[in-house]
Amino acid sequence: MKKIFFKTLLFFVWFHGVAQNDSLVNRLGEVVIVSDRKLTNHSAGYKVETLNDSIIVNNLESFSALLRFNSPLYIKEYGAGGTSTASFRGTSASNTAVIWNGININSINNGQTGFNSLTVSLFDAIDIRSGGGSLEYGSGAIGGTIHLNDNLKFSNDELVSNQFIASLGSYDTYNSLYKLKVSNSKWTINAGLSYNQSENDYPLLGTDYKNTNGAYENLGFNVSGSFLLTKFSKLNFYSSNYFGERLFSGELPNPTSANDKYQDINYRNLLVYTFENKRLSHEAKLAYLFQEYRYFDDKASETFNFGLSDRYLLNYNVSYRLPKWHATVSSYSEYESAFGKTDQITKRNRKQFSQSFIYDQHINRILYFDAKIRKDFNSDYQVPFTYALGLKIKPLNHFFIRANGSKNYRVPTYNDLYWPGQGNLDLIPESALQSEVGVGYKNNQFSIDVGAFYIQAKDKIIWTPNGDANRPGVWVPINLSEVTNKGLEVVMSYKKNFNKHQLVLNANYNYTLAIDGATDLQVIFVPKNLFNGNLGYNYRRFSFFYQQLYNGKVYTTASNSEDFVIPHYFVANTGIDFKLLNTQNQQLKMGLKVNNVFNKYYVTQPRRPMPNRNFNFNINYIF
């Protein structure tokens, strides 16, 4: 991997030398290219949270940490740096769709995205939309969607901007990032390079052991661009590349026995042509996505198990605006051909054609709604029509009422069906009906959103131990006849400026009941209570932040045995930053972050303690 890193670094040095003909200039006449218009245009009635630049920079150590402390998602992680998944509202990780520049990137093998295989610092914008109304990205996103976008900006004057971030932390942890943005009135190009590594050998609190066999390193490289073809049309491209290697930590009571290794490679490439005038817009997308993993039972051996997939997508979208009605009619057509295989599963090809229609309208900027319908034609399953409806009303200044409902459908993944010794060929697709109602208030300083949700899932697919009487003690996927998820969510933010002081407060609280209809007990790995809050304070060149997380008790057995639970945990991080330079052309900031500041013992998976108190020193230079 180090050879790949240095070759990529040489490319950046050359590219920087070619591009930097002018110094940083004022951003005049800036035009932003939105890579995912569907999120922007079709979210009436849904809760959408945005993680801004300052939040991302404060959580560069991992994508899992970013989401755990700043979102309404429940994060399940097999030790720091290990396999990590995210879920909404008590649904499973495969009901969470990860969207990269408008393309669903969940694995076709397991239907999920590993969040420690994504480089958080390379994305310009991260948005989180809760609820099952994201039919334009696939019908299986019952819980919600996480959107990773690259922002492209044209400017009337030529602009060259650089950003360099480096950090040094406990347990020989190093993170580095370089971003380059070049633009003028005709074209714009963004490029980013990230390299991270750690010995990750933190002490396991309450024991005499360390987190042995936990080291990791990864390299991420993104490049994107946009070219103005005519006054109305543009050609955009996006490329994301990731190379990672991590050792799998051992479990208590004998963590030193671990000796395995995991490598993963991801390539994502997307070409987009857009045409837009006052009434009509077209968008054509062509995408190729490649994923491969290699699992080494012995890290010193050359023998490994593997899995890989190739996905080809062709997408055509057309929208027509009806100005007199303040409405838009949109059509989304997509053809996908996906190939997946492992060393134990022969190569299989799943094809799907999807057609969606969406109608958006607002009435006097008081009532906003969008109606969606989708039909999938899948080579393996008969998929029914799915639909969604979102509604937002602003009856008074600053107040709003929102509501949404949807029908969703998810087919089993390759691993669900074919995994040797664990797959279940008798699985049937899961379906869900859901609804949500929320009220809120928003002005320039304060916002609050309180929502209640209800999900009724039928034939829900869940992996569970002892799910098959003929395979005792083996984790297998089964269909639960019915699962009911219901709960309450509260999102709040506050910002106050006075003199040269600024105070920022953000908080999320979720209460979730996910009940298995057959047992009337809580579904495994669903906390009833989840809270996180962030406090930020800025004065002149000084800034301070504090993060607090409370994760309630989690059951790990279908019987809800109190002998096998993940206890609740209360974990906090804090940090300070100081700007050494703060001019129009240069900003230099240095900071110190303390993770798990109160040195609390906690686990997100049984027998896998998370890191004790640890430190991170960082530098952020923009020029």
Side-chain angles (χ1 to χ4, degrees):
M1 178 176 291
K2 290 182 173 62
K3 291 181 179 179
I4 298 173
F5 171 72
F6 286 116
K7 288 181 180 179
T8 311
L9 182 62
L10 287 174
F11 166 79
F12 268 91
V13 172
W14 171 83
F15 190 60
H16 179 274
V18 171
Q20 188 142 340
N21 295 319
D22 294 308
S23 61
L24 185 65
V25 295
N26 291 330
R27 301 189 177 196
L28 301 176
E30 192 173 82
V31 177
V32 180
I33 306 302
V34 179
S35 61
D36 189 0
R37 298 185 182 187
K38 292 178 283 189
L39 175 66
T40 307
N41 298 334
H42 308 315
S43 293
Y46 297 91
K47 183 180 66 175
V48 180
E49 299 180 59
T50 299
L51 304 184
N52 59 35
D53 290 343
S54 61
I55 292 176
I56 294 174
V57 170
N58 287 341
N59 296 270
L60 290 178
E61 57 266 30
S62 74
F63 215 129
S64 300
L66 172 70
L67 296 177
R68 180 177 289 120
F69 285 93
N70 300 278
S71 79
L73 293 122
Y74 170 60
I75 306 299
K76 186 169 63 174
E77 188 174 13
Y78 287 77
T83 303
S84 174
T85 59
S87 57
F88 288 85
R89 298 177 172 177
T91 63
S92 57
S94 51
N95 297 135
T96 299
V98 179
I99 312 300
W100 170 71
N101 292 308
I103 297 294
N104 188 322
I105 62 171
N106 280 15
S107 167
I108 66 168
N109 286 326
N110 63 15
Q112 306 173 9
T113 293
F115 285 88
N116 282 337
S117 296
L118 293 170
T119 306
V120 58
S121 54
L122 288 179
F123 302 106
D124 296 314
I126 300 174
D127 297 289
I128 299 169
R129 180 163 75 174
S130 302
S134 302
L135 300 187
E136 55 270 45
Y137 305 107
S139 63
I142 298 171
T145 51
I146 301 171
H147 299 258
L148 316 174
N149 293 317
D150 299 308
N151 290 337
L152 294 167
K153 301 177 181 180
F154 290 96
S155 55
N156 288 338
D157 296 318
E158 185 165 325
L159 173 68
V160 178
S161 174
N162 305 269
Q163 182 178 24
F164 174 74
I165 299 176
S167 69
L168 170 64
S170 303
Y171 324 121
D172 294 323
T173 301
Y174 307 94
N175 301 306
S176 59
L177 167 72
Y178 174 68
K179 282 186 176 181
L180 172 67
K181 298 185 178 183
V182 185
S183 65
N184 59 28
S185 60
K186 300 284 187 177
W187 55 270
T188 175
I189 293 178
N190 294 354
L193 176 67
S194 175
Y195 179 74
N196 309 291
Q197 72 172 51
S198 177
E199 287 302 311
N200 202 27
D201 54 349
Y202 55 88
L204 303 183
L205 286 173
T207 76
D208 296 326
Y209 295 109
K210 287 187 175 183
N211 185 47
T212 54
N213 206 62
Y216 64 82
E217 63 173 332
N218 57 70
L219 171 69
F221 169 51
N222 287 8
V223 61
S224 57
S226 181
F227 300 90
L228 189 64
L229 302 178
T230 69
K231 181 180 179 180
F232 303 106
S233 63
K234 300 178 183 68
L235 185 65
N236 306 332
F237 72 90
Y238 306 89
S239 180
S240 176
N241 308 274
Y242 176 89
F243 312 88
E245 179 177 284
R246 59 180 181 264
L247 308 182
F248 280 165
S249 304
E251 294 183 338
L252 292 173
N254 186 21
T256 59
S257 63
N259 193 42
D260 43 355
K261 179 174 71 174
Y262 186 88
Q263 296 175 343
D264 53 318
I265 303 170
N266 296 305
Y267 302 110
R268 304 182 183 101
N269 298 280
L270 173 63
L271 187 65
V272 184
Y273 170 80
T274 62
F275 174 90
E276 183 173 12
N277 58 25
K278 291 184 178 180
R279 290 203 171 189
L280 187 67
S281 64
H282 298 266
E283 183 179 70
K285 293 184 176 181
L286 180 63
Y288 170 68
L289 297 89
F290 172 82
Q291 293 180 306
E292 180 180 3
Y293 74 82
R294 297 178 179 180
Y295 173 74
F296 299 77
D297 186 56
D298 180 354
K299 63 187 178 185
S301 172
E302 296 296 324
T303 304
F304 56 86
N305 303 107
F306 71 90
L308 58 85
S309 66
D310 297 271
R311 292 175 59 201
Y312 303 86
L313 293 97
L314 180 62
N315 186 296
Y316 176 69
N317 312 321
V318 58
S319 297
Y320 186 75
R321 283 172 284 278
L322 306 168
K324 291 184 179 180
W325 290 14
H326 305 291
T328 304
V329 180
S330 303
S331 167
Y332 295 95
S333 307
E334 183 175 89
Y335 174 76
E336 175 183 358
S337 180
F339 297 86
K341 64 176 292 188
T342 74
D343 56 295
Q344 300 182 66
I345 302 175
T346 58
K347 192 170 188 178
R348 297 178 183 273
N349 178 211
R350 178 176 288 177
K351 300 176 182 178
Q352 179 167 294
F353 175 77
S354 307
Q355 178 62 54
S356 304
F357 293 101
I358 301 178
Y359 179 79
D360 300 273
Q361 186 177 11
H362 74 82
I363 300 174
N364 297 326
R365 298 196 178 277
I366 296 176
L367 173 64
Y368 300 78
F369 71 90
D370 59 53
K372 309 174 184 180
I373 187 169
R374 177 186 174 103
K375 175 63 177 174
D376 293 342
F377 301 90
N378 189 287
S379 59
D380 294 338
Y381 292 94
Q382 293 292 324
V383 182
F385 280 96
T386 53
Y387 50 82
L389 177 66
L391 178 71
K392 186 173 184 179
I393 306 172
K394 295 183 176 180
L396 298 171
N397 193 24
H398 303 306
F399 287 92
F400 62 85
I401 302 170
R402 60 179 184 83
N404 64 76
S406 66
K407 176 183 178 181
N408 299 83
Y409 194 85
R410 185 179 80 84
V411 299
T413 66
Y414 284 7
N415 287 5
D416 292 336
L417 296 170
Y418 308 119
W419 193 257
Q422 294 177 269
N424 182 357
L425 292 174
D426 295 325
L427 288 174
I428 59 177
E430 64 181 72
S431 60
L433 292 172
Q434 62 181 310
S435 59
E436 180 185 8
V437 177
V439 296
Y441 175 89
K442 183 177 182 179
N443 61 23
N444 292 332
Q445 288 188 337
F446 176 76
S447 69
I448 187 169
D449 184 306
V450 181
F453 64 87
Y454 182 87
I455 306 172
Q456 187 173 44
K458 181 181 179 182
D459 302 315
K460 181 177 176 61
I461 300 171
I462 184 170
W463 284 71
T464 181
N466 302 315
D468 185 346
N470 296 320
R471 291 178 282 182
V474 177
W475 283 77
V476 296
I478 61 172
N479 287 110
L480 298 182
S481 58
E482 187 173 299
V483 175
T484 301
N485 297 27
K486 54 187 176 181
L488 179 73
E489 296 180 337
V490 181
V491 181
M492 187 271 287
S493 67
Y494 175 75
K495 181 194 289 188
K496 177 67 175 179
N497 294 311
F498 49 100
N499 296 327
K500 295 183 179 181
H501 303 266
Q502 183 186 64
L503 183 68
V504 179
L505 175 65
N506 297 291
N508 290 281
Y509 171 71
N510 297 352
Y511 176 76
T512 304
L513 290 176
I515 305 300
D516 182 349
T519 64
D520 202 31
L521 297 173
Q522 183 87 343
V523 175
I524 62 174
F525 291 106
V526 178
K528 289 183 180 180
N529 294 282
L530 184 65
F531 168 83
N532 57 59
N534 284 264
L535 173 67
Y537 169 75
N538 300 295
Y539 175 71
R540 294 181 182 270
R541 297 188 177 191
F542 170 82
S543 62
F544 163 85
F545 69 90
Y546 178 84
Q547 302 174 329
Q548 182 69 63
L549 168 70
Y550 173 78
N551 198 111
K553 179 175 66 176
V554 174
Y555 293 108
T556 64
T557 60
S559 63
N560 285 188
S561 170
E562 294 291 341
D563 295 327
F564 301 96
V565 299
I566 296 175
H568 72 272
Y569 48 90
F570 205 64
V571 183
N573 306 324
T574 190
I576 56 173
D577 296 295
F578 185 78
K579 288 183 179 178
L580 299 175
L581 291 174
N582 190 25
T583 67
Q584 182 178 354
N585 292 339
Q586 294 186 80
Q587 293 182 14
L588 177 61
K589 182 168 66 174
M590 302 183 73
L592 176 68
K593 182 180 180 182
V594 185
N595 296 302
N596 194 0
V597 63
F598 299 117
N599 207 34
K600 295 290 186 178
Y601 175 92
Y602 71 106
V603 298
T604 65
Q605 277 286 82
R607 301 176 298 280
R608 293 179 180 272
M610 296 294 284
N612 60 329
R613 183 189 299 118
N614 60 92
F615 301 86
N616 179 286
F617 174 77
N618 58 80
I619 182 170
N620 185 350
Y621 183 37
I622 300 175
F623 58 98

